[in-house]
Amino acid sequence: MTDHVRLTSPPSVPMADAAAWHRVVAASMAHDLPGVPAPAPEQIQAQLATPGLDSRRLTWLATASDDVVTGVAALRLFSSPGRDHLAELQLHVDPAHRLRGTGSLLLSAVLDACRADNRRSLITETAADSPGEAFCERSGFSRALTLNHLVLSLADVDWTEVDELADAERPGYRLAGWTGTVPDVLADAFAAAKNAMNDMPVGDLDYGTSQWDADRVRSMAEVVSGRGDTLLTVAAVHEDGSMAGYTEIVLPRGGTARAEQYDTAVVPAHRGHGLGLWVKAAMLRRLRAEHPAVTAVRTDNAEDNVHMIDVNRRLGFGTERRTHEYQLDLPTRPKPSPLTR
């Protein structure tokens, strides 16, 4: 039986704890998401050791009486204005130790931390039709968003069509690309384009907004690099110097063959010109030319983001699975009124 929860404190997570964390995550994913590869051990270590952008992380390990780690939880506490009400949870329990109260024990510790930090909303993601759904509903969470997870096998890509899409003329626009940190000459324009993500579909999630400037986009690239991952960006730049849209791909450390799609966005004033399809086609061609070891790209889209789903389908992405975002509304302490004289 699980008898206690132990708090760890990144960035100094011991290697033994990171190894145990990986074992639990791999077992949990194999049970709940068969066929979906778990992060490699070095990826888990990097995630635990690297602070997120504008956030801090708390982690817990549940251990049985024999000190075997049976469950893990990570809580991301956002700190930027517009999101400092929000916390995000990842929780895994080894299938061999489920139905013994381990998940509830971890969640209780997480909720105590959220209340201590005066968080208003706690969100978490779980696979559709998985034990995680039942756990969330028993624990008072409400389903707030459905995500479609799509995968593109590069072996199945119609490269003739991709080349045609990437080479298509978009009058008034040009393509730009970089690896890692955005070039200084594009930093302000990129930050302005990043703010277009604030209107992405989020269902009923109390997700908040993020405000980007040149320093913040540089910091984001540093976080990715600090984990040992490689960040690739392709952007559409308007003739007036503004950035009309962009797409980002991350190549996880360890030489994994599956690339992860990050943001794709088109600034509202530039929508309707096919720029999303253009930059994503150009990114696929870049992967083929510069990173031939990559064999697949994974992405996810909100179920009601029909435009981006259509773009991905056009490029050949197929459905891998569905997940649900759940949200728990938390009571917050009222802020003290300013003293009056």
Side-chain angles (χ1 to χ4, degrees):
M1 295 290 290
T2 298
D3 62 1
H4 69 279
V5 168
R6 177 159 51 93
L7 176 67
T8 62
S9 180
S12 57
V13 175
M15 289 295 293
D17 283 350
W21 193 292
H22 175 263
R23 180 184 55 77
V24 170
V25 170
S28 173
M29 291 184 64
H31 183 274
D32 298 340
L33 296 169
V36 178
E42 59 267 27
Q43 291 175 264
I44 292 288
Q45 175 66 27
Q47 289 166 5
L48 292 173
T50 307
L53 179 65
D54 294 336
S55 63
R56 58 191 177 90
R57 185 182 290 110
L58 300 176
T59 57
W60 293 263
L61 295 95
T63 57
S65 56
D66 57 3
D67 288 332
V68 171
V69 175
T70 60
V72 298
L75 183 68
R76 185 179 182 189
L77 297 164
F78 294 91
S79 58
S80 60
R83 300 189 78 189
D84 53 3
H85 66 283
L86 182 66
E88 186 175 49
L89 170 65
Q90 293 183 356
L91 190 154
H92 292 272
V93 176
D94 187 328
H97 294 270
R98 290 180 180 176
L99 302 179
R100 303 180 186 181
T102 304
S104 296
L105 192 63
L106 286 165
L107 180 60
S108 178
V110 166
L111 293 179
D112 285 346
C114 287
R115 295 185 188 102
D117 215 62
N118 208 32
R119 297 290 154 157
R120 186 177 74 215
S121 298
L122 175 65
I123 61 174
T124 192
E125 182 178 348
T126 187
D129 304 318
S130 73
E133 280 197 303
F135 176 78
C136 285
E137 289 164 6
R138 286 197 309 270
S139 303
F141 287 77
S142 299
R143 187 186 298 180
L145 180 69
T146 297
L147 294 171
N148 287 324
H149 294 253
L150 310 174
V151 174
L152 175 64
S153 169
L154 298 190
D156 298 331
V157 168
D158 183 342
W159 289 108
T160 299
E161 181 178 17
V162 166
D163 286 339
E164 290 174 353
L165 291 169
D167 288 334
E169 290 189 9
R170 308 286 175 178
Y173 300 93
R174 64 178 177 86
L175 289 172
W178 61 90
T179 299
T181 305
V182 60
D184 288 345
V185 69
L186 292 174
D188 289 329
F190 186 37
K194 273 277 188 182
N195 286 313
M197 288 298 292
N198 283 326
D199 71 352
M200 68 178 179
V202 294
D204 295 322
L205 287 176
D206 184 14
Y207 202 67
T209 59
S210 297
Q211 296 302 313
W212 293 87
D213 58 22
D215 288 339
R216 191 164 190 261
V217 296
R218 294 185 184 104
S219 295
M220 187 272 286
E222 290 170 1
V223 167
V224 175
S225 175
R227 296 196 307 256
D229 299 341
T230 301
L231 174 65
L232 308 177
T233 308
V234 171
V237 181
H238 191 257
E239 58 190 3
D240 65 5
S242 64
M243 193 169 292
Y246 65 93
T247 190
E248 298 169 318
I249 288 283
V250 167
L251 309 179
R253 65 183 295 173
T256 179
R258 178 179 284 204
E260 298 290 332
Q261 177 76 60
Y262 272 35
D263 291 351
T264 299
V266 177
V267 175
H270 297 277
R271 292 173 184 169
H273 301 289
L275 300 182
L277 187 61
W278 192 37
V279 294
K280 286 178 75 77
M283 177 64 84
L284 289 179
R285 188 161 67 175
R286 183 178 174 189
L287 283 176
R288 179 183 58 176
E290 299 177 13
H291 301 277
V294 173
T295 61
V297 179
R298 191 203 69 81
T299 190
D300 60 71
N301 302 121
E303 195 169 55
D304 56 353
N305 191 355
V306 292
H307 174 71
M308 190 54 64
I309 290 174
D310 287 346
V311 166
N312 287 325
R313 296 288 190 200
R314 172 95 182 261
L315 293 169
F317 282 82
T319 299
E320 179 184 52
R321 57 191 172 96
R322 293 167 72 243
T323 62
H324 300 302
E325 295 271 359
Y326 278 86
Q327 178 170 293
L328 182 64
D329 297 327
L330 302 169
T332 58
R333 298 185 299 273
K335 296 180 179 180
S337 300
L339 296 175
T340 57
R341 296 181 183 272

